[in-house]
Amino acid sequence: RIFVNRSLALEKIKCFGFDMDYTLAMYKSPDYEELAFTLLLEHLVSIGYPHEILAYKYDPTFPTRGLVFDALYGNLLKVDSHGNLLVCAHGFRFLKGAEILHYYPNKFIQRHDMKRFHILNTLFNLTEAHLYACLVDFFTNCSRYVNCDTGYKYGNLFMSFRSMFQDVREAMDHVHLSGCLKEKTLENLEKYVVKDPRVPLLLSRMKEVGKVFLATNSDYNYTDAIMSYLFDFSDGDKAETPQRPWRSYFDLIVVDTRKPLFFAEGTVLRQVNTDTGKLRIGTYTGPLQHCAVYSGGSSDMVCDLLGVKGKDILYMGDHIFGDILKSKKRQGWRTFLVVPELARELQVWTEKSELFEELRSLDLFLAELYQHLDSGSSECPDISSIKRRIQKVTHEMDMCYGKMGSLFRCGSRQTLFANQLMRYADLYAASFMNFLYYPFSYLFRAPPVLMAHESTVEHSRLD
């Protein structure tokens, strides 16, 4: 299924755009995250971190997307769209009541303070989130280090959580930019990349009704290797369409896009020599060439080269900020968010529906307790046992999804990630392959969203 936040007529879409990583190319979880995690640990040890951290293994049940890392206190936080705290963990220890108030007296964070609070929204961030928890866990429990509120002391040295954050970010950059993660991935594509024989079929159908383009932050050589693997079914794999070069499925291919910069001023547009992978010097100013590959550029240049306007484009990506939010806010592109976690989320949502129903009935029971009281009432209902029950059911529900709970909610409260998905993604699904099951004349209709006064007050005729 494809889920709808804003109505979209598929027949009005003249152009289908794709990101590559985690959209066209799905990486196998948890194998891919385990690889990235190992490379991150090895890099940290190479710059001076204790060898003991190599004992940590990636745990796919711990992190979820949309967590916030507090670089002042080293905590991993789950928050709602306003910055109210839903879950707080220091390492692998989940903080309760008084401990949370020690760090956050208002149970609230100024999430726009980007120097302190860092949102971990991408699938690449899952390993990063788990690594913060591992490092905090290690230094907190290592007898050589003295625990402080904002870091650790070791003799005359002080290591702040902020410096730890910077080290991990630099390690992330190293792993991605040095090419070591890409190298290991290409050495064993079968282990790390999902190959779906239906991909060529869907893209060829899309190309019959509109234009198709690829815009990825990856370089050409890596893009070529991954895409060649995805479209190569010469080894007896059953493809739904005849074999042909992967570039022929696209009207435009842009690599090194540097999103989200791509959706603003962008960078210089250059042509790629597909024989060598090297860039041609000078800015490309000519017309669109069939099967040509470009580097850099901007979303405006994509519209110009393809001869389309923002609303004509449906862009598909996995990055809520880099792909979806920026393309929607700055360009008015229609957006489709790939949420691979959705399959698991829906499974728990249906299997554990009785827990959510219990939460709903507890909320209704609370409302009924106050129904016949007004400003003149002196009695005060005892709701402590109901609140405890709500907390217990919420925790039980969270644990069904993983140690950090659901990507979308905490009990009956929605997460920051859920809010951003609803605001910026017109459509979303576990995979873009779900488009196979819809005709290109389909009208995706969003359900009407009722405001509080509309959903709680019944319609009645006024005489």
Side-chain angles (χ1 to χ4, degrees):
R1 272 186 71 179
I2 291 173
F3 300 94
V4 191
N5 288 322
R6 264 165 304 286
S7 297
L8 184 147
L10 211 48
E11 65 184 2
K12 287 186 178 175
I13 298 301
K14 296 177 186 165
C15 189
F16 299 92
F18 289 92
D19 178 32
M20 183 180 75
D21 296 309
Y22 281 114
T23 301
L24 277 171
M26 286 305 299
Y27 295 106
K28 293 183 181 178
S29 186
D31 293 336
Y32 186 71
E33 288 84 11
E34 283 169 3
L35 169 65
F37 186 74
T38 303
L39 293 171
L40 285 168
L41 285 178
E42 287 171 358
H43 181 73
L44 287 177
V45 168
S46 76
I47 63 168
Y49 275 71
H51 276 78
E52 295 103 310
I53 65 169
L54 294 173
Y56 283 98
K57 298 283 178 266
Y58 180 72
D59 175 7
T61 66
F62 179 77
T64 184
R65 275 200 288 172
L67 298 178
V68 177
F69 182 70
D70 179 355
L72 180 63
Y73 294 130
N75 297 324
L76 276 171
L77 312 171
K78 193 173 177 183
V79 299
D80 68 11
S81 60
H82 304 291
N84 298 303
L85 261 60
L86 303 173
V87 178
C88 176
H90 193 71
F92 296 111
R93 194 170 69 83
F94 287 85
L95 307 186
K96 298 275 191 303
E99 290 178 301
I100 294 175
L101 292 173
H102 169 71
Y103 293 113
Y104 313 99
N106 212 12
K107 281 196 171 179
F108 171 83
I109 63 163
Q110 293 276 358
R111 67 178 184 83
H112 298 294
D113 178 358
M114 307 296 267
K115 286 189 177 144
R116 177 177 169 186
F117 298 110
H118 303 272
I119 303 171
L120 308 172
N121 256 346
T122 75
L123 288 154
F124 286 120
N125 289 143
L126 287 172
T127 46
E128 187 182 350
H130 190 245
L131 184 53
Y132 291 130
C134 291
L135 294 175
V136 170
D137 179 70
F138 172 77
F139 288 112
T140 300
N141 296 307
C142 181
S143 58
R144 300 195 300 272
Y145 297 86
V146 177
N147 283 263
C148 307
D149 263 0
T150 59
Y152 305 97
K153 279 192 83 165
Y154 179 61
N156 293 326
L157 297 173
F158 178 71
M159 185 175 69
S160 67
F161 292 117
R162 193 177 298 280
S163 67
M164 183 193 293
F165 168 78
Q166 286 164 350
D167 289 342
V168 172
R169 271 287 149 102
E170 280 166 19
M172 287 285 289
D173 289 343
H174 170 79
V175 163
H176 286 282
L177 299 177
S178 71
C180 61
L181 177 61
K182 289 171 180 171
E183 221 171 89
K184 298 274 187 195
T185 306
L186 296 179
E187 281 171 16
N188 199 342
L189 285 167
E190 276 187 31
K191 183 177 181 182
Y192 298 120
V193 183
V194 177
K195 194 172 190 177
D196 189 331
R198 301 169 304 161
V199 170
L201 173 67
L202 179 57
L203 285 183
S204 59
R205 284 181 181 175
M206 283 178 164
K207 208 164 183 301
E208 284 168 16
V209 297
K211 292 175 178 175
V212 182
F213 73 89
L214 173 67
T216 174
N217 282 359
S218 293
D219 61 77
Y220 176 69
N221 289 330
Y222 182 70
T223 302
D224 183 47
I226 291 287
M227 296 298 282
S228 297
Y229 173 71
L230 290 179
F231 286 80
D232 177 19
F233 292 93
S234 55
D235 297 338
D237 298 311
K238 288 189 178 168
E240 310 272 340
T241 52
Q243 183 87 15
R244 63 181 218 249
W246 73 265
R247 296 204 318 259
S248 67
Y249 288 88
F250 298 92
D251 295 280
L252 173 65
I253 298 154
V254 191
V255 297
D256 306 312
T257 53
R258 292 182 61 192
K259 292 174 286 184
L261 187 66
F262 179 75
F263 293 111
E265 63 271 22
T267 54
V268 172
L269 182 72
R270 294 188 175 167
Q271 209 166 357
V272 178
N273 181 331
T274 52
D275 295 324
T276 63
K278 291 187 173 156
L279 304 183
R280 296 196 164 129
I281 58 166
T283 304
Y284 183 76
T285 57
L288 177 64
Q289 294 179 17
H290 185 60
C291 282
V293 179
Y294 303 89
S295 167
S298 69
S299 48
D300 287 333
M301 290 176 190
V302 166
C303 293
D304 291 343
L305 284 168
L306 293 172
V308 291
K309 298 191 298 291
K311 285 278 193 288
D312 301 335
I313 297 173
L314 176 60
Y315 186 66
M316 302 172 219
D318 67 286
H319 190 329
I320 193 95
F321 184 78
D323 290 323
I324 303 303
L325 186 149
K326 290 299 178 187
S327 62
K328 167 65 70 185
K329 282 179 85 169
R330 288 187 167 165
Q331 300 295 336
W333 289 10
R334 306 310 302 270
T335 51
F336 177 99
L337 185 68
V338 176
V339 189
E341 301 98 329
L342 205 52
R344 170 78 184 137
E345 291 273 340
L346 283 169
Q347 183 191 349
V348 175
W349 180 251
T350 48
E351 287 176 3
K352 303 293 179 180
S353 58
E354 74 281 356
L355 289 174
F356 191 73
E357 286 306 317
E358 186 177 351
L359 268 185
R360 268 223 286 240
S361 61
L362 285 167
D363 279 340
L364 286 171
F365 185 64
L366 264 181
E368 283 166 12
L369 281 178
Y370 288 96
Q371 194 171 7
H372 302 296
L373 304 180
D374 61 21
S375 56
S377 308
S378 56
E379 62 182 287
C380 185
D382 181 11
I383 59 168
S384 54
S385 60
I386 301 171
K387 283 170 80 174
R388 279 197 302 274
R389 182 65 194 154
I390 287 174
Q391 284 175 336
K392 187 175 183 301
V393 174
T394 298
H395 182 258
E396 199 178 327
M397 198 169 158
D398 276 354
M399 290 306 99
C400 298
Y401 292 97
K403 290 172 185 151
M404 272 288 182
S406 164
L407 175 62
F408 301 115
R409 61 175 55 253
C410 180
S412 51
R413 294 162 72 185
Q414 287 177 339
T415 61
L416 170 61
F417 187 92
N419 177 264
Q420 289 182 324
L421 179 146
M422 290 165 71
R423 276 183 75 184
Y424 299 113
D426 296 323
L427 309 174
Y428 66 100
S431 165
F432 79 95
M433 291 306 302
N434 294 11
F435 273 110
L436 267 177
Y437 307 103
Y438 294 84
F440 289 108
S441 58
Y442 195 79
L443 175 61
F444 289 100
R445 291 287 298 165
V449 179
L450 297 177
M451 294 177 70
H453 68 278
E454 295 166 327
S455 61
T456 54
V457 178
E458 289 181 24
H459 283 267
S460 57
R461 250 181 50 212
L462 296 173
D463 295 327

